Amino acid sequence: MTDATDPRDALAGARIRATLDQLAPSPGATARARAAVSAALPARPHRVRTALFATGAAACAAAGLVAIMPRGQTPSATPARPADVLGILATPQIQTPRQMGFRTDVYGFPGIDPASIRPLASRRVAGPEYFVAATRQGFVCLLVKTHGMVPVTECAAPDDLRRGALAVPGGSASVRGGGFGIPVLVADHATVQATGTERLAGDNVWVMPVNARSVVLRRADGSAARIAFPDPVGGWSAVMNAPSTLLLATADHRAAVTVPDLTGLDGADADRVLRAVRLESGAVGTRATDGVAMNGVLAQAPAAGSTVAAKTEIATVVATPAGPRRQVAPAAPLDIRFDALPPPVGRHATVADLRGGVTTLVFARTAAQLGAASLGSETQYIGVLPGFLGPRWSRRGSRPIAQIADPDGRLATAAGVASYPTTVVLDNRGRVAATFPGVPDEPRAGTGRVQATVRALGNEPMPDDLRAPEASAGLPLVAGRVPLPADEAPGVWRYRPPAMALWRFGPAADGTTALIATVRTRPGLTAHRVAVKHASQPYWRVGAAPSISTWVVQSRRIGHNDVRVLLVARGYTRCRVAGRDVPVSNGLAVVTTPRGRPGRIELSGPAGTLVLDARGVPIRR
Amino acid sequence: MDALHDDPELARARRGDQVAIAALFDRHWPTAWRVAMSVTGDEASADDVAQDAFVRAVRDLGRFDGRRPFAVWLHRIVVNEAIDQRRRNARAARLRTRLAHEPPQTDAPTSSPELIDALMALPEGQREVVFLRYWVGHTVDAVAAVLDVPPGTVRSRLARAMATLRHHPALQSLARSPQ
């Protein structure tokens, strides 16, 4: 090497160095860089990470426990902590949530600790941003921020994440080569193996194409497990945008879980917490209570801390507005005319039609007052005005706003409105349950006092005379069937609006169950819904119920077979397809045939014989 | 020469030992920042570039083969990161060091803010080699490896830069000194 230079240059170099030496990185920049480097540490055993980053005796004890465990085992007595499975949670938080782009205090899951949010470095410049966080209840969460400031978030217990993986169906991401996939969070050192699967962010987030069929999780301890389809009927594509936590079930998932404390949580938040630990929401009771947040959980059974089997239903009692409830009873019969898109426009109803569902009335004097109302995207409300605004004004964005003309103020008087604007919430018996001054200003779905009150009241049982309205009229499938008692309505899926009556079909031998519900879509108008759920699914698939006596409510391909879920009316007890008998269980049959060869369905019983085509439509009697 | 065998701390860092990585950071952060400074010419940008480069280096430690010194490998990453950033962003304002506003703490000829201005006024290529050669302390060959240019180019840039700087008042006394 020839570094010999002019001695004068050497002296000049020394002087240059002495001059430049006074430039140095600031201590703040050095500290930030040190933290960033810590956060970027390469993968290594849990015990190293835990011992290095965690502080306190508990952390040391946990680290020691992990260190002495034989390969492939995890401590059963001591539940894993979030940082045990996601080491990044134990690193310093370099940016505040606001600096990370969270402009609101809403993180998509109850109890998320803002100080725990850590960004995962994404491998893509564009596309969703991925964050991990821990909740105050000890869950680990994946936050996917695609649009706006509120992320799509799913959470799971650390022990479950160690054994399986956590998918965020609502945070769908594009995959290489086109199409969509589901982001999946895995614990440190675990990998996901499936055709087309791509590592997305850090080492913890993978995106799984919706058409992936065989998915293998390779855990940190080297063991592997095949990930079961979340929806054995529809596969991954069926769970896209499903509003539920989806914990990828593996064969050796824990059978028993500890019931979390739900007290004080909003009912919807309680549902999410239950799903995060693989429990299900059971019957929901109500208690009229003042002084607590509406729809907040007051009690639960089994109690928090008890150990139950996975998928056990947890019953809750939520707070509803305290009495007295006053019936809306105008002095004279009141004829209400609705004017809103979509049709029917100009429909007449009566005060009696206000029963059968929770009704939110916004009493306003002017269009400007009504126009200022904002009530999320899930809660319908009816504007009550002296006169109709006309179709042009009856929409807020794409949502139609039903209007009631109350020119002489009789409805306002009957509802106890003393000034305008006022918001009144009626319970499903048509009684005034709560009154709020002004118009609702709750643009975000699921937040705010009015929406919480509406949700809480939706859990109250229907009056007996409304529970089976015209049961057989227009709905032969439920003719002769006894509606479910109010307290047996499944809690994991609640109709919005609440069901006036529910009928259960099945369960079949494979656990498939169906429900048909009558719901009030608007005062005086009812509709029917059908919901189907397989035992392995954490959610119900909902659609419109048909008005004929038999119907294939679900048709999916599984492997080389077509699987159809068939509902049949009473009077048909036997089902044959392609010469084989298919059991009919409480009006439900699961028909499995080779793909592309559905065959005709023959029903018989006391009602006679019926031949159906592949869709369940009768061909001949 | 194998840097991995010669430097057990480096080997431990490659295995994810945080203590070793912390030591590595302490040892190499100042020079990484100087390299970033030599390319960006701006303190704030140097902070960002050096940090991002260090993070990248730590993540990619597994790819370091030990055939060249770790510092050269790291500084090459810093230079790449700086070039990337320069492509992304238009060059910000020229260096405004705090030295321009603070009284010199040593004798004037060796800590002249004007000298810094003169250094910053050098063409980019010349400034980089001057900084890397005299501030970071690399040999000519190492500078060539960091900048991915031939050693001859480094020497010629260095010679041109020094020819320019010799006329600076802070260095003129050296030029006149009999050596």
Side-chain angles (χ1 to χ4, degrees), chain B residues 111-154:
Chain B
S111 58
S112 159
E114 292 77 18
L115 179 55
I116 291 180
D117 285 344
L119 289 165
M120 291 303 167
L122 288 172
E124 275 177 15
Q126 295 180 26
R127 187 188 66 226
E128 287 166 4
V129 295
V130 169
F131 275 43
L132 291 172
R133 177 73 183 91
Y134 294 121
W135 195 22
V136 178
H138 276 312
T139 62
V140 169
D141 286 348
V143 173
V146 169
L147 295 178
D148 198 20
V149 295
T153 304
V154 174

Side-chain angles (χ1 to χ4, degrees), chain A residues 214-452:
Chain A
S214 176
V215 182
V216 174
L217 173 75
R218 192 162 293 280
R219 303 192 186 97
D221 60 15
S223 62
R226 187 183 170 119
I227 296 176
F229 281 118
D231 181 344
V233 179
W236 290 104
S237 58
V239 301
M240 290 286 286
N241 301 315
S244 63
T245 297
L246 176 67
L247 188 67
L248 306 183
T250 51
D252 52 351
H253 259 141
R254 290 175 302 153
V257 294
T258 304
V259 179
D261 185 4
L262 307 174
T263 311
L265 289 176
D266 179 85
D269 287 345
D271 287 354
R272 302 203 66 191
V273 170
L274 288 174
R275 284 200 298 267
V277 292
R278 292 180 300 118
L279 294 172
E280 294 191 358
S281 181
V284 180
T286 58
R287 186 188 303 159
T289 313
D290 262 338
V292 297
M294 286 300 102
N295 208 37
V297 174
L298 301 172
Q300 66 181 86
S306 50
T307 302
V308 298
K311 298 191 177 182
T312 298
E313 292 191 349
I314 308 298
T316 53
V317 175
V318 299
T320 55
R325 310 265 179 103
R326 191 167 44 79
Q327 195 74 44
V328 177
L334 187 64
D335 189 33
I336 303 171
R337 190 163 76 92
F338 288 94
D339 189 6
L341 296 174
V345 175
R347 186 178 174 280
H348 288 264
T350 68
V351 168
D353 291 324
L354 297 178
R355 303 166 71 232
V358 182
T359 308
T360 305
L361 301 173
V362 179
F363 290 85
R365 279 276 191 223
T366 63
Q369 286 181 343
L370 184 60
S374 181
L375 202 59
S377 58
E378 298 169 356
T379 308
Q380 291 188 350
Y381 59 95
I382 301 172
V384 185
L385 294 154
F388 290 124
L389 297 177
R392 183 182 164 201
W393 294 96
S394 60
R395 280 180 174 271
R396 184 176 181 84
S398 60
R399 294 176 57 202
I401 302 173
Q403 300 167 47
I404 294 176
D406 186 28
D408 54 6
R410 279 194 296 157
L411 182 57
T413 304
V417 173
S419 63
Y420 290 89
T422 294
T423 303
V424 175
V425 182
L426 309 181
D427 65 12
N428 53 31
R429 296 169 190 263
R431 302 175 302 183
V432 175
T435 301
F436 302 92
V439 296
D441 181 19
E442 300 173 3
R444 195 180 303 137
T447 60
R449 289 188 307 159
V450 176
Q451 292 184 68

